Amino acid sequence: MSTSQLIVALVVVAAVGLGVARTVRIIPQATAAIIERLGRYHRTLKPGLNLVVPFIDRIKDLIDLREQVVSFPPQPVITSDNLVVSIDTVIYFQVTNPKAATYEIANFLVGVEQLTVTTLRNVVGGMDLESTLTSREEINTELRGVLDEATGKWGIRVNRVELKAIDPPSSIQDSMEKQMRADRDKRAAVLAAEGQRQAAILTAEGEQQAAVLRARGEAEAAVLRAQAEAEAQAMRAKGQADAIGMVFKAIHEGKPDQRLLAYQYLQMLPEIAKGDANKIWIVPSEMGRALENLGGLFSPPKDDPDQ
């Protein structure tokens, strides 16, 4: 084979190899490729192995179909009470129509950013500062609804919008900190006063309950002492009655005479005189007769006149 033929063969092989290389296209996962044929949109290539016509079809763009997170720089926004706040936003979006994202807008990222800024100013412009700081969820929801509706024709779906930071002016921050500090001090003072009041109430209730319990205990103790004393007196009286009954029974069973009774009566006189209330006691009329009988016990018997 001559040199010229070898060169021609190499050129043909190179052309065939180049044609094969431009015919076979491998598209990565979660990616879509926009194919133009002779300058016009032809089709969208899906992930995997794809075949195109070389030198006629060309890939215009590779579109990432994964959810994307874009953080936009802080934007100054004026509230309804004429205060400028700086707001950072984070957008979570996803391309659902690669063709629309390629041909409906030149740069959908710039479009999303500018649409977010204008929508944010419209939403926050109708709120005062306090509402802006406390209504993040409402702002997020409203922003997402407006952005998703506006970017739908671009083949983009906005999944979520988050306000990363809302920074009021430094002077307003100082005033808010002072106000919050005053509110905290006020709440602390109120809580301390409430605690003292509750403590005083609980102490008074405790003292009242203690006094009631003491009085109840003393009353119950007095009742118990009175009952014990009454039972003791009853038992003493019963004992005395039993003793008297036994003595009376013994006396009657022994059939005592007058002399024995007089002797027993004399023995009981000291016991009768021991009582503190016995200032005056009366000797019965029978006392003399009993003493005479008792004296007869100790006098010697008289001699019989007949002796």
Side-chain angles (χ1 to χ4, degrees):
M1 181 180 293
S2 62
T3 304
S4 61
Q5 291 176 347
L6 181 60
I7 294 174
V8 171
L10 292 175
V11 171
V12 171
V13 171
V16 172
L18 180 61
V20 172
R22 294 180 66 89
T23 300
V24 178
R25 296 292 183 180
I26 298 177
I27 306 301
Q29 182 67 31
T31 305
I34 301 298
I35 298 298
E36 289 183 347
R37 175 169 293 180
L38 300 177
R40 297 183 61 183
Y41 171 77
H42 177 59
R43 65 192 177 102
T44 301
L45 299 183
K46 296 181 179 180
L49 181 63
N50 295 272
L51 299 177
V52 297
V53 178
F55 306 108
I56 296 178
D57 296 341
R58 74 181 185 90
I59 296 179
K60 178 176 176 58
D61 287 318
L62 288 176
I63 306 299
D64 192 348
L65 300 179
R66 296 172 297 179
E67 185 175 15
Q68 302 182 45
V69 182
V70 180
S71 178
F72 299 135
Q75 299 294 327
V77 181
I78 301 177
T79 61
S80 62
D81 47 358
N82 296 325
L83 293 175
V84 179
V85 295
S86 180
I87 301 179
D88 296 351
T89 55
V90 179
I91 307 296
Y92 298 80
F93 69 93
Q94 187 175 12
V95 177
T96 58
N97 189 343
K99 178 184 177 182
T102 303
Y103 294 104
E104 294 296 334
I105 187 170
N107 189 332
F108 61 83
L109 286 177
V110 176
V112 170
E113 179 181 3
Q114 296 302 318
L115 186 59
T116 300
V117 172
T118 55
T119 306
L120 184 63
R121 288 176 178 173
N122 291 333
V123 173
V124 177
M127 298 181 177
D128 56 12
L129 179 60
E130 184 175 358
S131 300
T132 303
L133 295 175
T134 58
S135 304
R136 289 197 177 195
E137 190 63 30
E138 297 178 4
I139 297 174
N140 294 338
T141 303
E142 191 168 353
L143 275 176
R144 180 189 174 281
V146 174
L147 291 175
D148 192 33
E149 182 180 359
T151 58
K153 64 179 181 179
W154 300 344
I156 296 174
R157 182 178 67 244
V158 177
N159 297 325
R160 193 167 58 217
V161 179
E162 296 290 343
L163 299 183
K164 187 166 61 174
I166 301 177
D167 298 327
S170 57
S171 59
I172 300 300
Q173 290 183 4
D174 294 339
S175 300
M176 293 173 62
E177 290 177 358
K178 292 179 181 179
Q179 181 179 1
M180 291 187 338
R181 191 179 304 111
D183 291 340
R184 285 195 297 268
D185 294 341
K186 178 181 178 182
R187 287 196 298 268
V190 171
L191 290 176
E194 183 67 20
Q196 294 177 358
R197 187 176 72 88
Q198 292 293 335
I201 291 175
L202 293 176
T203 302
E205 290 179 353
E207 293 177 353
Q208 180 182 6
Q209 292 177 1
V212 171
L213 292 176
R214 283 196 300 269
R216 187 178 299 171
E218 293 175 356
E220 293 178 354
V223 170
L224 292 176
R225 285 195 297 269
Q227 291 178 353
E229 182 66 24
E231 291 177 358
Q233 291 179 1
M235 292 180 66
R236 286 196 297 269
K238 185 176 182 301
Q240 293 175 358
D242 293 341
I244 293 172
M246 292 176 63
V247 171
F248 184 77
K249 182 179 179 182
I251 292 173
H252 280 276
E253 288 179 355
K255 297 179 179 180
D257 54 7
Q258 292 294 329
R259 296 179 178 180
L260 179 60
L261 292 176
Y263 178 73
Q264 292 293 332
Y265 188 81
L266 288 175
Q267 286 185 339
M268 291 300 297
L269 286 178
E271 297 296 329
I272 296 174
K274 285 182 180 179
D276 295 336
N278 296 332
K279 303 301 182 181
I280 300 175
W281 48 284
I282 302 171
V283 177
S285 60
E286 292 82 359
M287 184 64 183
R289 191 180 306 161
L291 292 177
E292 292 178 358
N293 294 330
L294 185 60
L297 291 175
F298 300 99
S299 59
K302 294 179 179 182
D303 294 335
D304 189 0
D306 296 333
Q307 294 180 353

